[in-house]
Amino acid sequence: MKTKVLSTSDEDLDIAAEIIRSGGLVAFPTETVYGLGADALNPEAVRKIYQVKGRPADNPSIVHISQIEELKGLCLEITEDIRTLAAVFWPGPMTMIVKRDPKIPDVTTGGLDTVGIRMPRGKGASELIRRSGLPIAAPSANISGKPSPTEAQHVLDDFDGRIEAVIDDGPCDVGIESTVIDMTGASPMILRPGFLTKRDFEEALGKPVLLDPTLNQRPDPSRDDFHPKAPGQKYKHYAPDAEMILFDGDPENVRKAILAEQKRREEAGQKVRVLFFDEAHEREAARYFFADLRKADRDGIEVILASALPEEGLGFSVMNRMLKSSGFHIIHV
């Protein structure tokens, strides 16, 4: 199979939409990361996503729509809170967990009675969905466990010759996956942090929003009975080929510790990459973190040394990815 690299021209988007209708796979750009899409209502098409990615079957996929009205055919109950968040944040980097309509196949939802739905920004995503006339199931377009793709080349690095097409619309603006908020409980709860934060949702709803208490905590390997409602809750994610170590503490102490470790590792003959982040540049950290990991892999880097961010607001969301990327290898200085 030859993977087609398509643009966002009308002609190319029509080609991509026909691939989706025919049961094929198309990687497409959103404002967050590139997704690997298939017809969400076609079980065989969705299974191809899991096979190509090497994705565990109980890890649910997010269903993407192009109009708020499409939510009605996928969700059993649309509450006032769901309507409010959709009106305020769609199109945008928010996924809502809702009670699924039975017509959505089990393979798409990981066997759950809930489904994550999102309405992404950008022509490559919205027009692909609209022209296909179908909701599109799409996890990130990377081999399961690897850093998420924020450029079309990242997708090709993993899947060239294994999927039908990728739509190239340049680098993604946000750079980390959408915030996932569960709307099925007594109170809204964030299951995966992202660009939109707890404060954003509380301002929109005028009520408290909970954070999953396991966020940014080392996963419990004994929890084999845990069935994730959102991608990224259970399995190792975002890991580069290199060993990755985070350093947390006073910024000056962190810088000294990283430089000392860099010197020690380089004197031992290892290829080292240093990533310095600070709370004044959280937005840039979010946008470029996955791309930095991908570049380190391409450059044959063996060790990545990175400074931690304060776990507040967007920094909390970026640290969620950094902790998982490092396997929770963090040194406090």
Side-chain angles (χ1 to χ4, degrees), residues 58-76:
D58 68 343
N59 198 4
S61 292
I62 292 170
V63 175
H64 295 65
I65 60 177
S66 62
Q67 300 291 332
I68 291 178
E69 292 74 20
E70 296 167 28
L71 186 59
K72 297 175 184 176
L74 302 171
C75 176
L76 286 182

Side-chain angles (χ1 to χ4, degrees), residues 11-175:
E11 180 181 4
D12 278 4
L13 287 169
D14 284 339
I15 292 171
E18 179 56 33
I19 292 171
I20 294 291
R21 285 193 296 270
S22 301
L25 304 183
V26 176
F28 61 95
T30 73
E31 74 278 25
T32 57
V33 301
Y34 275 70
L36 182 58
D39 175 0
L41 305 181
N42 181 339
E44 292 305 316
V46 176
R47 285 191 187 96
K48 292 179 185 176
I49 295 176
Y50 283 76
Q51 290 165 358
V52 167
K53 279 179 62 72
R55 185 178 179 86
D58 68 343
N59 198 4
S61 292
I62 292 170
V63 175
H64 295 65
I65 60 177
S66 62
Q67 300 291 332
I68 291 178
E69 292 74 20
E70 296 167 28
L71 186 59
K72 297 175 184 176
L74 302 171
C75 176
L76 286 182
E77 179 186 12
I78 302 177
T79 65
E80 193 59 37
D81 283 349
I82 289 173
R83 286 191 177 91
T84 296
L85 292 187
V88 174
F89 296 117
W90 277 353
M94 174 188 71
T95 295
M96 285 191 284
I97 303 292
V98 297
K99 291 290 185 180
R100 83 185 236 215
D101 188 285
K103 73 181 178 184
I104 302 176
D106 284 350
V107 65
T108 301
T109 67
L112 299 173
D113 62 359
T114 58
V115 63
I117 299 179
R118 118 167 173 89
M119 183 176 148
R121 282 203 314 263
K123 183 179 180 182
S126 61
E127 279 298 297
L128 173 63
I129 301 164
R130 186 185 71 80
R131 289 168 190 248
S132 71
L134 296 163
I136 293 181
S140 54
N142 58 302
I143 293 172
S144 189
K146 289 296 184 182
S148 295
T150 57
E151 302 174 16
Q153 185 57 52
H154 299 163
V155 179
L156 293 170
D157 289 343
D158 285 3
F159 297 131
D160 193 11
R162 302 178 63 200
I163 63 175
E164 282 81 358
V166 56
I167 299 171
D168 186 353
D169 196 26
C172 300
D173 291 332
V174 173

Side-chain angles (χ1 to χ4, degrees), residues 9 12 27 91 105 137 165 175 202 205 245 303 326:
S9 69
D12 278 4
E202 289 179 336
L205 293 172
I245 307 171
V303 183
S326 67

